[in-house]
Amino acid sequence: MRITETNLSGCFIMEPTLFKDERGVFFESYQQKKFEEAIGKKVNFVQDNISVSSKGVLRGLHLQTGVHAQAKLVQVVHGEVLDVIVDLRPDSPTFGEHYKLKLSSKNRTLIFIPKGMAHGFVTLSQEATFMYKCDAFYNSASESGVIYNDKDLKIDWQYPIKTPIVSEKDILLPTFKEFFK
Ligand SMILES: Cc1cn([C@H]2C[C@H](O)[C@@H](COP(=O)(O)OP(=O)(O)O[C@H]3O[C@H](C)C(=O)[C@H](O)[C@H]3O)O2)c(=O)[nH]c1=O
């Protein structure tokens, strides 16, 4: 497994070792000892989530705040998405910066997203199955986020369709500036 830090402090790309043979492929998508040694801290994942989205669906930018803040280990097990992460930690050296990476069932890449970062993705393939681990349980009351097309963040989502498909909840998310008011 190869782990490299992104431009966002504490956010890491994980490229698992792929064991290919005539049957297909095998890889360890998560191994606690190797993972913790690579990122240099202990993480106790307590919940796995799966979402399935059709082309053009955009989920995000979400995070849970306060004591229910979640670190996530995300991957795509079918299809392809453009994954986007935004550093919303005021004391971070990369505060306000974002990172983008295509995740797919071809590149088998995972991203570790520390607490305090907003996360989202837009679905590039006809359908994508997104699977991720969280180190804190779902707590709807602490859900928050930033509107995906925030004018200050200037994220180029590379939409695969003219207008992304976004939930009513996500359309109502605050701007980056409003998030900190
Ligand atoms: C996240 C979550 C949701 N739910 C329920 C709440 C709703 O009734 C339904 C759909 O939830 P939501 O529309 O928030 O799902 P997404 O838009 O995929 O949310 C996720 O999208 C981005 C990409 C993330 O990184 C977050 O983990 C998460 O916020 O599932 C649960 O029961 N448990 C959960 O952990």
Side-chain angles (χ1 to χ4, degrees):
M1 166 177 64
R2 187 171 62 174
I3 286 205
T4 42
E5 194 164 14
T6 67
N7 61 298
L8 302 181
S9 172
C11 179
F12 294 86
I13 302 166
M14 287 175 56
E15 296 168 281
T17 303
L18 304 179
F19 296 95
K20 295 181 180 178
D21 62 25
E22 66 282 358
R23 298 167 298 170
V25 65
F26 174 92
F27 60 101
E28 292 179 355
S29 58
Y30 174 67
Q31 201 266 33
Q32 185 174 34
K33 187 171 181 298
K34 293 176 189 171
F35 174 73
E36 291 183 346
E37 281 171 4
I39 68 165
K41 65 178 189 176
K42 287 207 164 299
V43 182
N44 177 37
F45 292 114
V46 295
Q47 180 174 320
D48 281 357
N49 293 337
I50 291 178
S51 65
V52 181
S53 306
S54 46
K55 187 171 185 175
V57 165
L58 191 155
R59 296 176 186 256
L61 293 155
H62 302 156
L63 78 169
Q64 291 192 172
T65 56
V67 293
H68 299 286
Q70 296 170 313
K72 298 167 189 167
L73 179 62
V74 304
Q75 64 181 305
V76 168
V77 293
H78 169 69
E80 184 179 43
V81 309
L82 178 72
D83 205 69
V84 176
I85 299 146
V86 182
D87 192 346
L88 297 182
R89 304 168 301 180
D91 58 349
S92 165
T94 53
F95 172 63
E97 293 183 30
H98 69 270
Y99 174 73
K100 299 188 301 188
L101 182 68
K102 284 184 182 173
L103 298 179
S104 72
S105 50
K106 289 209 175 4
N107 68 23
R108 304 285 180 198
T109 301
L110 300 94
I111 305 178
F112 173 70
I113 306 167
K115 297 176 191 287
M117 295 200 179
H119 173 248
F121 64 84
V122 65
T123 309
L124 302 175
S125 50
Q126 282 306 322
E127 184 179 87
T129 302
F130 197 83
M131 189 167 97
Y132 54 109
K133 292 181 166 310
C134 306
D135 76 341
F137 297 116
Y138 174 61
N139 180 278
S140 57
S142 62
E143 278 200 303
S144 185
V146 173
I147 186 86
Y148 70 97
N149 58 1
D150 181 84
K151 65 175 176 42
D152 293 313
L153 295 177
K154 299 188 181 67
I155 297 166
D156 175 7
W157 287 89
Q158 301 164 24
Y159 305 133
I161 60 176
K162 189 170 182 309
T163 309
I165 301 161
V166 184
S167 68
E168 282 177 25
K169 181 179 72 144
D170 288 355
I171 288 287
L172 297 173
L173 284 168
T175 64
F176 177 71
K177 285 184 176 142
E178 288 164 347
F179 179 82
F180 290 100
K181 272 190 183 144

